[in-house]
Every structure is written in structure tokens, then in C-alpha cells.
Amino acid sequence: MRSSAPSDYWAVLGLDPGADLPSLKRAFRAQARRFHPDLNGNDPSAEESFKLVNEAYAVLSDPRRRAAWERGEGSGTAVPTDPFASGFPRFETYLEALFGQRQRSRSTPFDDGASGVDATSSEPFEEEPFAEDGFDAHSGRGDADGSADPASDWGGPGGSVTPSPAPPPPVQASTDAESTVVLSPEQALHGERVELELPDGTAVEVWTPAMAGDGWRLRLEGVAPGGGDHFLQLRVRTEEGLRIDGLRVQYSLDLTPAEAALGCVVVVPTLRGPVKLTVPPCSSSGRLLRLRGRGMERGDQRGDQLVEVRIVLPDQLADAEEALYGRLQELADQAAEEPAQEASQESGGR
């Protein structure tokens, strides 16, 4: 590690002083992934940042070392050593050394034609990172003076004993899973950070794409049990029944057959309050009526609201209603027969 302690370990992890342990772990997980050389093309700047992140968490998560650092006595170790002196392990190997078990950590693309964005899945960090004094708390290895060669954890030149690999996990059938993610219109418009915990305990942290819509299905590849996919079903609706899709707002308007046939004036909800809408006569189910400028706003862009007509029949008809529909059917049959009769008369007159 570094020979001189930084002025503010809290700032290194992006935390306010005194943050609790869960926040500390989440911040370390994010910063370690951000700067790990394996994920940054071995960038020297990222290597130094990664070392500092590991050092900051090692000190702040240890009450004794944290107290010594807060008193201005350094990081609490007499002769700090660099656990990465022999090089950096692959990120997956680094996780195995931390937790004593195989972890999964990779970028998983959303398989969604509308978004094309990436999400990151990772296991929760529940243990300490590599300690500055070289002692491996997970394997119990350490010299008499408390030092050890960290390179031995991943087969570096200083290792004299190679631990036997952990037994492979049992074979598990691949199964897909699905979760529903509820977003407000504003969250869907700008994108939202979502934290999920899968049934096997895996923590998944993703950002939904900006201008997402109700009904979007996002795929997290390979994170479900057995290597299956986990799907996120987005739900973006208001209490009034408005459905959000990017800048567009959609609403389903239920009408009786008489209202659809004769036309009517109805009140429909919008994001900025109810408005009156004139439904033209002879409106069939599926007809779209546009309310311009009543959609979502983003900068100087403003979407429209589309109102879809749906003709709804009652569960049961009264006798009078049934008689009227019977008469309507007769009129429809007569109207269908008239063109055939006219064609027959024309052919007979030739």
C-alpha cells in the first residue's frame, strides 16, 4: 500500500464521514469495480486508484485501524506492505481470494431493441478486502510477524504453497426468472438505479435506460440460477391509468357501443389534469385520438397523449337492449343484401 495515508479515506470511497458498514461495503464494491485494472486495460492511473480504494476500506472497516487513523496516527500498521506488489489478479480471482468461493462479476447487456444499454451484475461484498499488513483473514495464513506474501493467493512468484482448488458447484439446470420493476414517470424518463437481490443471494445493480416505457422487458444475461437470464418487466403507470412510453403517454378509453356509434364528449386524465375530449361518431375499437403536447417533457421536447378507444359491452343485456340489438342485426343483414339484389337486377336487365 501507500507509505503515507491520504487525508480523507471517506472521500476516496465517496462517503460522508461516519457512514455505516452497509454503506461502506456498497461504496467499496462500486469503487473496486470501477478502478480494478482487469476492467480498465491495466491503466496505471486505475491501478493506483484501486490500491487506494482497497486501503481506504481496509482501514475504515477495522475499528482499531480506523480509530488510529482518526487520531492522526496513520493507517494503524507499522510497516505497510503492498498486497499487489507481484501484480494484479484477474477480477474474478480477486473476488475468490476475498470470499473463499467463486463469484460472478460481469457486464450483462439488456437484450432490448429499444435501449441497447448495459447493466452490471455482481455478488455482494460481505468480507474484508486484502489487508495492508498482508494477513489473509480468510485463509488464516500469515507469518509470525503478521506478514504474508499476497502474491501466493493467485500463484505469484512469492508463493510456496498452492492451495487446492475449491470443489466445483453442483450442476444446476438453467432457468429464466423475472421481476417487476415499478417506476414513476420521472424515473422512467431520466433512468433509474435499481438494486435487486436474486433468489440465490446475488446482488444486481443496474440502471434502467432513459425514456423507458411501460411494458419494456430488459434482459440480464446469465445471472439467473444455472446461467439463465433474468428479465426485468418495467411498469410505468399513474393512478389514473396513464401508461408512459418515452415521451408518449397512452390511455385506454372505455365506451359503450352507443357512445362509440353516435359520438360523445368525455373527460380524460392527463399528466397536467383532466381535459375534455370529443369522440367522433362511428369510432371503432382501436381508434387512436391524439392530445397534442399532453405527453412527457424533456428539454424542449414534448410528447403527445394517445387515447385508444375500447368498446365495452355489459356482462348481461336487459330485454329491451337485447331487442334493440336484434333490430340492429336485422338492419345490418338488410344492408348486406341490398348490393347483391342490385347486382342481380343489373345482370337481368342486360
Side-chain angles (χ1 to χ4, degrees), residues 257-258 261 321-335:
E321 292 174 326
E322 188 172 350
L324 286 174
Y325 278 113
R327 178 54 181 160
L328 288 173
Q329 185 63 54
E330 292 176 1
L331 294 174
D333 293 341
Q334 292 176 6

Side-chain angles (χ1 to χ4, degrees), residues 237-261:
R237 302 183 184 182
T238 68
E239 295 180 355
E240 296 81 11
L242 300 176
R243 303 186 306 278
I244 311 300
D245 186 7
L247 296 179
R248 179 180 298 169
V249 176
Q250 299 173 336
Y251 180 73
S252 296
L253 176 63
D254 294 343
L255 298 177
T256 65
E259 290 172 330

